[in-house]
């Protein structure tokens, strides 16, 4: 760059003159020297004036060319160093944070459907359980054996219950995509009886119920990498829906009663709307007619598979109590009786498996009322059959058989009186002709060998039913009567 020279001669002459004046006046000497220094500084600053619009020097061009050659020669080294630096920064983040987060998200999104399973209520403090579920992962994963804690979901706002009601062990699994997972049958100790009863109550009443599955030590192995994550999932399990469809299709009276007191046998239809097979053992139910406890029935070795289950039962029915209160029972069930049925309620009484009392199932069943409808005609027919059997026994054995016959006849007399004393439903003129026809059929059917107290009972019963459902009464009752009559003929 060029430096422009500026003439300093006039300035130097003026400075000499000032110096001489300062010598004449010593007190101003210091000020003069200071001014002279400032003056020379200004001159120096004025001497060097840089012009900015100059072209680069040959040296700067050489520097750039050398830099380019250097980068061209060593560019791969610099690239490798950059990649290594990035890996040093990113790999810990990838393997220490990103991949565990991905695995945690996959675990948290598992539906864990209960496809099937089986439970055996083996004791008051244990149960056997097996489950089949499914897992779904985007890549192949090996899951180490793990214990899964089962909880009843806690109401919102309540304290979290860390203690499960049951813990099941899941063996080692290899999961790649959607994979079925089997938890084999195992006996598990009940850890919280109160929580288990609460969960079974909801399982019994609901179409679907919730089940909380937890673990803090689920180890997932992706290749040679191993990650430990927690799982806290609330899944849905199909429930029993209050055993909707529970029915009593047949009930046969045994007269005289057996030595152990059994005087009734039949079958129960017990539906299982869920996917779990429940092995419950010997389950005893109380039978109620209104507020009267009329006896018990026991289903032995009861196992409820998904779908409808036919379970035979035996029991003890208090026929004397039933007949003596039949008038009040039928009056209180006029709508059901008009359809030809008597309504009974079944409630849990006791549950035993291999002699062990299963209290947690009793605490559930004993609070439930299962409504069943039983045909009135079937009840009367069974009483008739009992009378005929007893009469036959008495004719062949004049000793003890006569006493049984007397008891049975007394029971049927009570039944006939109860039914014949029922207040007849008030009829309208339009109903009178058809009701008279029904009564004529009753008289025809019950004439001959079938009469007496049983005939009065049937006539009163059919009259009571005729008001609401005459055709149904004729079909359900007279069909049975006609079969009896043909059999006698």
């Amino acid at each position: 760059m060029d430096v422009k020279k500026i003439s300093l001669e006039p300035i130097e002459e003026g400075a000499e003159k000032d110096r001489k004046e300062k010598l004449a006046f010593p007190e101003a000497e210091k000020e003069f020297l200071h001014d002279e220094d400032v003056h020379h500084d200004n001159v120096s600053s004025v001497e060097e004036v840089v012009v900015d619009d100059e072209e680069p020097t040959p040296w700067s061009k050489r520097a750039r060319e050398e830099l380019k050659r250097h980068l061209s020669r060593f560019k791969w080294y610099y690239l490798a160093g950059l990649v290594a630096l990035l890996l040093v920064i990113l790999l810990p983040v990838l393997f220490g944070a990103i991949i565990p987060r991905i695995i945690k998200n996959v675990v948290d999104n598992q539906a864990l459907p209960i496809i099937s399973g089986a439970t055996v209520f083996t004791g008051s403090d244990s149960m056997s359980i097996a489950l089949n579920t499914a897992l779904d992962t985007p890549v192949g994963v090996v899951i180490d054996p793990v214990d899964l804690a089962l909880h009843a979901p806690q109401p919102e706002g309540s304290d979290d219950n860390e203690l499960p009601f049951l813990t099941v062990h899941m063996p080692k699994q290899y999961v790649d995509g959607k994979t079925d997972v089997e938890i084999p049958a195992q006996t598990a100790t009940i850890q919280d009886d109160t929580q288990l009863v609460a969960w079974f109550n909801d399982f019994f009443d609901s179409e679907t119920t919730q089940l909380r599955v937890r673990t803090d030590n689920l180890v997932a192995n992706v290749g040679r990498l191993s990650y430990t994550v927690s799982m806290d999932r609330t899944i849905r399990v199909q429930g029993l829906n209050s055993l909707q469809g529970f029915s009593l299709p047949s009930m046969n009276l045994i007269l005289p009663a057996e030595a152990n007191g059994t005087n009734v046998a039949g079958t129960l239809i017990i539906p299982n709307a869920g996917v779990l097979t429940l092995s419950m053992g010997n389950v005893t139910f109380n039978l109620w007619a209104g507020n009267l406890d009329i006896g018990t029935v026991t289903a032995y070795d009861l196992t409820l598979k998904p779908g409808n289950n036919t379970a035979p039962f035996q029991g003890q029915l208090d026929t004397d109590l039933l007949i003596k209160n039949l008038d009040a029972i039928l009056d209180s069930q006029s709508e059901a009786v008009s359809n030809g049925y008597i309504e009974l309620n079944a409630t849990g009484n006791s549950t035993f498996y291999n002699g062990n009392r299963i209290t947690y199932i009793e605490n559930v069943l004993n609070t439930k009322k299962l409504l069943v409808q039983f045909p009135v005609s079937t009840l009367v027919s069974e009483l008739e059959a009992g009378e005929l059997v007893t009469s036959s026994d008495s004719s062949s054995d004049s000793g003890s058989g006569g006493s049984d016959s007397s008891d049975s006849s007394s029971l049927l007399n009570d039944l006939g009186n109860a039914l014949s004393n029922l207040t007849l439903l008030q009829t309208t003129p339009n109903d009178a002709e058809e009701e008279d026809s029904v009564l004529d059929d009753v008289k025809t059917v019950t004439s001959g060998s079938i009469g007496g107290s049983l005939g009065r009972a049937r006539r009163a019963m059919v009259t009571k039913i005729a008001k609401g459902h005459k055709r149904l009464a004729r079909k359900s009752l007279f069909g049975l009567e006609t079969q009896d009559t043909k059999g006698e003929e």
Side-chain angles (χ1 to χ4, degrees):
M1 60 186 172
D2 296 331
V3 180
K4 293 181 181 180
K5 304 294 183 178
I6 301 175
S7 177
L8 302 178
E9 293 178 357
I11 298 176
E12 290 177 353
E13 291 177 357
E16 181 65 19
K17 184 180 180 179
D18 291 337
R19 188 180 65 81
K20 292 178 178 180
E21 291 177 356
K22 293 295 183 180
L23 292 174
F25 303 94
E27 63 274 8
E29 183 178 0
K30 293 182 180 180
E31 181 178 354
F32 168 78
L33 294 175
H34 175 73
D35 293 340
E36 188 175 21
D37 292 337
V38 174
H39 179 70
H40 282 291
D41 291 340
N42 291 336
V43 171
S44 299
S45 63
V46 175
E47 284 181 349
E48 297 180 359
V49 178
V50 180
V51 179
D52 295 332
D53 56 352
E54 302 155 349
E55 295 183 359
T57 64
W59 181 87
S60 62
K61 288 183 179 179
R62 284 197 306 271
R64 283 202 298 269
E65 290 175 358
E66 289 178 359
L67 180 60
K68 287 180 181 179
R69 285 195 301 268
H70 177 79
L71 292 177
S72 176
R73 180 179 179 183
F74 297 101
K75 60 183 179 182
W76 297 114
Y77 295 98
Y78 284 111
L79 181 60
L82 179 61
V83 171
L85 179 62
L86 291 176
L87 290 177
V88 169
I89 297 174
L90 295 179
L91 285 181
V93 177
L94 176 65
F95 292 104
I98 296 177
I99 293 180
R101 174 60 64 182
I102 293 174
I103 294 176
K104 185 68 168 63
N105 287 339
V106 171
V107 170
D108 289 343
N109 289 327
Q110 295 299 315
L112 290 176
I114 302 299
I115 301 171
S116 61
T119 59
V120 182
F121 305 125
T122 55
S124 60
D125 59 353
S126 65
M127 61 186 292
S128 174
I129 184 169
L131 296 172
N132 292 311
T133 183
L135 295 172
D136 192 359
T137 60
V139 296
V141 177
V142 176
I143 300 176
D144 288 350
V146 62
D147 290 334
L148 302 176
L150 307 183
H151 299 255
Q154 298 296 313
E156 188 175 351
S158 63
D159 294 336
D160 187 22
N161 188 355
E162 294 294 336
L163 184 66
F165 65 76
L166 210 65
T167 298
V168 297
H169 180 76
M170 184 178 76
K172 184 177 181 178
Q173 304 288 333
Y174 176 72
V175 182
D176 189 3
K178 189 171 183 180
T179 306
D180 292 336
V181 174
E182 179 182 0
I183 299 176
Q186 55 196 271
T187 299
T189 301
I190 296 172
Q191 297 169 258
D192 188 340
D193 186 79
T194 302
Q195 190 181 168
L196 176 65
V197 171
W199 187 83
F200 265 128
N201 261 307
D202 193 58
F203 174 76
F204 184 95
D205 293 335
S206 307
E207 292 185 19
T208 60
T209 187
Q210 292 182 329
L211 177 65
R212 188 180 178 193
V213 183
R214 294 182 59 185
T215 180
D216 294 327
N217 300 299
L218 192 149
V219 179
N221 302 283
V222 183
R224 294 188 177 184
L225 301 176
S226 181
Y227 298 94
T228 300
V229 296
S230 63
M231 181 179 68
D232 191 346
R233 297 284 298 130
T234 298
I235 64 175
R236 303 202 69 83
V237 182
Q238 287 183 262
L240 298 181
N241 195 24
S242 298
L243 299 183
Q244 290 294 325
F246 181 90
S247 62
L248 186 68
S250 67
M251 184 171 68
N252 305 315
L253 290 177
I254 302 173
L255 296 176
E258 296 179 356
N260 62 359
T262 298
N263 64 352
V264 64
T267 56
L268 294 169
I269 298 296
I270 307 178
N272 179 355
V275 296
L276 298 178
T277 298
L278 309 175
S279 297
M280 306 178 69
N282 301 334
V283 181
T284 300
F285 297 93
N286 291 328
L287 286 182
W288 298 80
N291 294 324
L292 291 176
D293 185 353
I294 61 173
T296 61
V297 296
T298 301
Y300 294 94
D301 297 325
L302 179 61
T303 297
L304 300 182
K305 297 180 180 180
N308 286 333
N309 298 270
T310 301
F313 72 85
Q314 293 181 341
Q316 296 83 36
L317 192 65
D318 191 340
T319 53
D320 289 339
L321 180 66
L322 175 63
I323 297 305
K324 289 178 182 178
N325 293 275
L326 191 58
D327 191 349
I329 293 172
L330 294 180
D331 276 339
S332 67
Q333 299 184 19
S334 57
E335 182 176 354
V337 171
S338 69
N339 288 303
Y341 293 93
I342 182 173
E343 290 185 342
L344 302 176
N345 286 304
T347 61
N349 178 292
S350 63
T351 302
F352 285 87
Y353 189 90
N354 288 341
N356 299 317
R357 189 163 192 167
I358 314 301
T359 54
Y360 53 85
I361 294 299
E362 290 181 1
N363 291 337
V364 175
L365 293 181
N366 293 3
T367 63
K368 311 300 179 184
K369 280 191 174 183
L370 305 175
L371 178 66
V372 294
Q373 291 183 325
F374 191 73
V376 180
S377 60
T378 302
L379 175 63
V380 176
S381 297
E382 291 303 322
L383 289 172
E384 174 192 6
E387 179 187 37
L388 295 176
V389 169
T390 307
S391 299
S392 176
D393 291 342
S394 63
S395 64
S396 61
D397 187 353
S398 59
S400 59
S403 175
D404 292 338
S405 176
S406 175
D407 292 341
S408 179
S409 299
S410 175
L411 184 149
L412 288 175
N413 283 329
D414 289 339
L415 174 65
N417 292 332
L419 290 173
S420 61
N421 289 334
L422 294 175
T423 303
L424 298 182
L425 296 175
Q426 189 176 18
T427 59
T428 63
N430 294 333
D431 297 328
E433 183 176 351
E434 187 171 0
E435 187 167 318
D436 289 341
S437 176
V438 172
L439 291 176
D440 290 339
D441 290 340
V442 175
K443 292 176 182 178
T444 301
V445 171
T446 57
S447 62
S449 60
I450 303 177
S453 62
L454 186 59
R456 291 196 306 274
R458 292 194 175 194
R459 284 194 294 272
M461 178 181 64
V462 174
T463 303
K464 192 169 184 66
I465 296 173
K467 168 68 176 174
H469 296 272
K470 304 173 184 65
R471 293 180 183 178
L472 176 62
R474 187 182 290 110
K475 180 179 179 181
S476 62
L477 299 178
F478 301 153
L480 291 172
E481 300 265 3
T482 304
Q483 292 176 4
D484 293 341
T485 305
K486 288 180 179 180
E488 291 171 6
E489 292 175 356

